[in-house]
């Protein structure tokens, strides 16, 4: 059984006071929800503040990026040890904005995934096609290549700690959400790719959908068998909408 997971990706938003208030409101809002996990990923500068605000809370703290080395001459980078030290339990890796603006590729994502697992940080590996790739009928190829590129060579045992987030680039921040059927098709494909490579552990891997997830569409998305949660950007910046998303009411056949 896969426990659904709802994660807020705050991106480059949240000064410390705002971050503290939002984290507290999320904690309060989700404390009576059961049968799911909830996480938030503030910017690095707010991690300590949010960790403090979440003390004693079941809400998981995570980061939005990470270097693969533990320490060294890597100006401007943050290591897995530092994230653990700050109280992080997961890290978002290979987000399309990082691939698009900061030159991340499957090889660097792979190194980061390995490092995260070695430090007991659950990697949330983001994959997804652009609009032109979808229109050219390349969605499954692109996503399959990204999944293999990030994970090939890992032990099957480690794979159960990995979370994959399918985020079609054309749906991120655009208000244009994939239909539940479009998302399910790709989620199912991702699980097949994982099964081919790693065997039955694929059934344990959580696959999140991301891209304009809102209170209005989460329930329907969560009815699909292979959608195990959501990675939420814009709608995670307001406690009310994020708490509503975390409180999704439908349960798919996989749950
Ligand atoms: P969005 O972002 O919910 O604002 O579309 C999702 C993401 O980029 O993780």
């Amino acid at each position: 059984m896969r426990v659904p997971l709802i994660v807020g990706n705050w991106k480059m938003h949240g000064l410390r006071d705002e971050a503290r208030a939002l984290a507290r409101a999320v904690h309060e809002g989700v404390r009576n929800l059961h049968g799911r996990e909830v996480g938030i990923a503030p910017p690095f500068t707010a991690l300590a503040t949010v960790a403090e605000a979440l003390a004693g809370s079941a809400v998981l703290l995570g980061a939005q990026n990470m270097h693969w080395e533990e320490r060294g001459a890597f100006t401007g980078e943050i290591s897995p040890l530092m994230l653990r030290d700050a109280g992080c339990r997961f890290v978002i890796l290979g987000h399309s904005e990082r691939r698009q603006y900061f030159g991340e590729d499957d090889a660097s994502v792979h190194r980061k995934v390995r490092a995260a697992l070695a430090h007991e940080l659950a990697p949330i590996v983001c994959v997804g096609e652009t609009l032109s790739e979808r229109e050219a009928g390349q969605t499954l190829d692109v996503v399959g290549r990204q999944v293999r590129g990030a994970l090939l060579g890992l032990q099957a045992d480690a794979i159960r700690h990995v979370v994959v987030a399918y985020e079609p680039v054309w749906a991120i921040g655009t208000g244009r959400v994939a239909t539940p059927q479009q998302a399910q098709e790709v989620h199912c494909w991702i699980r097949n790719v994982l099964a081919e490579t790693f065997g039955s552990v694929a059934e344990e891997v959580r696959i999140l959908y991301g891209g304009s997830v809102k209170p209005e569409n989460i329930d329907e998305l969560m009815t699909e068998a292979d959608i195990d949660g959501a990675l939420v950007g814009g709608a995670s910046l307001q406690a009310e909408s994020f708490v509503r998303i975390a409180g999704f009411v439908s349960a798919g056949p996989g749950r």
Side-chain angles (χ1 to χ4, degrees):
M1 250 245 312
R2 301 184 294 270
V3 178
L5 173 63
I6 304 289
V7 173
N9 172 13
W10 293 3
K11 308 193 180 183
M12 200 169 70
H13 297 282
L15 302 181
R16 286 179 303 163
D17 284 349
E18 299 162 336
R20 184 182 299 110
L22 181 52
R24 284 189 181 147
V26 168
H27 162 61
E28 279 302 318
V30 306
R31 64 193 304 173
N32 294 321
L33 295 176
H34 300 289
R36 65 206 67 198
E37 290 181 342
V38 178
I40 50 181
F44 292 131
T45 49
L47 283 176
T49 303
V50 171
E52 213 178 280
L54 293 180
S57 168
V59 176
L60 303 167
L61 180 65
Q64 302 171 19
N65 182 32
M66 183 193 84
H67 194 269
W68 54 80
E69 294 287 348
E70 290 186 350
R71 57 177 67 79
F74 299 102
T75 301
E77 292 293 326
I78 302 282
S79 85
L81 279 183
M82 292 166 179
L83 294 187
R84 284 300 305 242
D85 191 40
C88 289
R89 306 277 300 280
F90 69 90
V91 57
I92 298 169
L93 296 175
H95 189 282
S96 63
E97 287 152 15
R98 296 218 53 87
R99 295 180 192 253
Q100 188 180 349
Y101 305 127
F102 304 101
E104 290 210 15
D105 56 15
D106 292 338
S108 61
V109 174
H110 178 76
R111 297 178 82 163
K112 293 179 179 195
V113 170
R114 276 188 182 279
L117 289 167
H119 290 88
E120 296 182 1
L121 287 160
I124 300 182
V125 180
C126 301
V127 298
E129 82 288 1
T130 61
L131 185 57
S132 59
E133 288 164 341
R134 173 161 285 266
E135 286 171 350
Q138 297 167 345
T139 297
L140 300 184
D141 282 351
V142 168
V143 169
R145 192 174 67 231
Q146 289 171 331
V147 169
R148 289 190 196 93
L151 304 180
L152 218 62
L154 296 177
Q155 300 291 323
D157 242 18
I159 290 296
R160 63 168 56 87
H161 303 294
V162 171
V163 176
V164 178
Y166 168 57
E167 300 203 300
V169 177
W170 47 270
I172 295 178
T174 58
R176 189 175 160 192
V177 63
T179 65
Q181 296 71 29
Q182 281 174 323
Q184 168 60 23
E185 182 195 13
V186 182
H187 283 227
C188 177
W189 164 252
I190 292 171
R191 204 175 301 288
N192 287 342
V193 169
L194 292 173
E196 267 169 27
T197 319
F198 302 105
S200 59
V201 74
E203 286 303 315
E204 296 176 45
V205 175
R206 289 179 289 186
I207 306 175
L208 314 184
Y209 170 77
S212 299
V213 173
K214 303 263 179 308
E216 298 76 45
N217 55 35
I218 184 66
D219 292 341
E220 203 187 349
L221 286 163
M222 291 301 291
T223 60
E224 296 293 340
D226 290 291
I227 300 184
D228 304 314
L231 184 54
V232 187
S236 72
L237 295 174
Q238 300 293 333
E240 196 186 342
S241 54
F242 185 64
V243 165
R244 168 64 187 90
I245 291 168
F248 67 87
V249 289
S250 38
R255 287 175 281 278

